[in-house]
Amino acid sequence: MLTSFRGLMAVSLAAAGLSLATPAMAQSEEESGFSTSANVALTTDYRFRGVSLSGGDPAIQGGFDVAHDSGFYIGTWASSIKGGPAYGDLEFDIYAGWGGQLTDAISVDVGVLYYIYPTEDLGLDTDYIEPYASISANLGPAEATFGVAYAPKQDSLGGDDNLYLYTDVGFGLPGTPVSLTGHLGYTDGALAPPLLAGTTDDTGLDWSIGASVSEGNFEVGVAYIGVEGPSIDGFTDDAIVGTISASF
């Protein structure tokens, strides 16, 4: 990651959406078991686990996914960034995994994600890999998720590793298109917010609260995002972030 996730906040945008298909294509997808989706977004600040990767400025983001009825999926996601010569101006992610229901209320998701910085100018090893897993519980209009992501020791992380634990909660207001969300994350390792901000503390918290309104394929959201450690303007300072997204 920038020593300056992605994801949101791990919260980068989820690659959810409707199938891009004519009736003939839809029939073909149903027969094959495969489906496709795409998403695009404009955000006022790309925050990855509380840390800004766009220098506090707006970012353009988007992704594309292919999924199978068995639960397996593969996809890509990209965002503009301000990473300087070491990371360039683009983050490009590739991921693959499996997600499915354990019960009507419990679902799981496991996979691996590869972060790539193709426009870096110094010839440095900045790309890294991070397996992940999560379990979610859906109770009516409310949902809660607990997840873990672990990047093993690799040169791009200075020979260190990184553990990220997080909890997300969401609640859809009945009878309205409004959803409320909350997030709390804990980092231990090379990507800890205090360490990125220049301290020697390799653990740290990030958090957010937000609300969104959905209409058809479109969603507008706003979130207050904070992170533990020194407050650096346009990097680790608390911020109100707005996002407009569309899924297809």
Side-chain angles (χ1 to χ4, degrees), residues 22-230:
T22 64
M25 290 175 64
Q27 182 179 10
S28 175
E29 287 179 351
E30 182 177 346
E31 292 173 351
S32 67
F34 287 96
S35 61
T36 60
S37 61
N39 62 88
V40 63
L42 175 63
T43 183
T44 59
D45 189 357
Y46 172 24
R47 292 270 167 161
F48 174 69
R49 300 173 186 174
V51 177
S52 176
L53 304 188
S54 59
D57 293 332
I60 298 174
Q61 304 171 333
F64 180 80
D65 295 89
V66 178
H68 189 263
D69 289 346
S70 62
F72 289 98
Y73 61 86
I74 186 170
T76 64
W77 185 89
S79 177
S80 59
I81 61 174
K82 286 189 175 179
Y87 289 91
D89 54 14
L90 176 67
E91 175 187 329
F92 181 73
D93 302 340
I94 302 174
Y95 50 86
W98 179 87
Q101 297 289 137
L102 297 183
T103 69
D104 290 342
I106 305 296
S107 61
V108 297
D109 183 24
V110 295
V112 61
L113 195 154
Y114 186 42
Y115 301 85
I116 304 171
Y117 302 93
T119 60
E120 64 88 16
D121 292 330
L122 302 180
L124 301 176
D125 184 2
T126 54
D127 305 342
Y128 70 98
I129 192 169
E130 184 181 63
Y132 58 86
S134 66
I135 183 168
S136 299
N138 194 325
L139 300 173
E143 183 176 43
T145 299
F146 174 75
V148 57
Y150 177 72
K153 292 181 180 180
Q154 44 202 300
D155 292 342
S156 54
L157 299 181
D160 200 356
D161 61 356
N162 190 80
L163 173 67
Y164 187 67
L165 306 174
Y166 68 92
T167 297
D168 291 331
V169 294
F171 182 81
L173 298 182
T176 77
V178 178
S179 296
L180 305 178
T181 58
H183 165 84
L184 177 64
Y186 169 78
T187 306
D188 184 349
L191 302 179
L195 193 62
L196 297 180
T199 75
T200 58
D201 187 356
D202 63 355
T203 63
L205 298 173
D206 69 274
W207 55 87
S208 71
I209 54 173
S212 63
V213 178
S214 299
E215 182 63 39
N217 291 4
F218 297 91
E219 181 174 279
V220 177
V222 62
Y224 180 86
I225 301 174
V227 64
E228 185 178 2

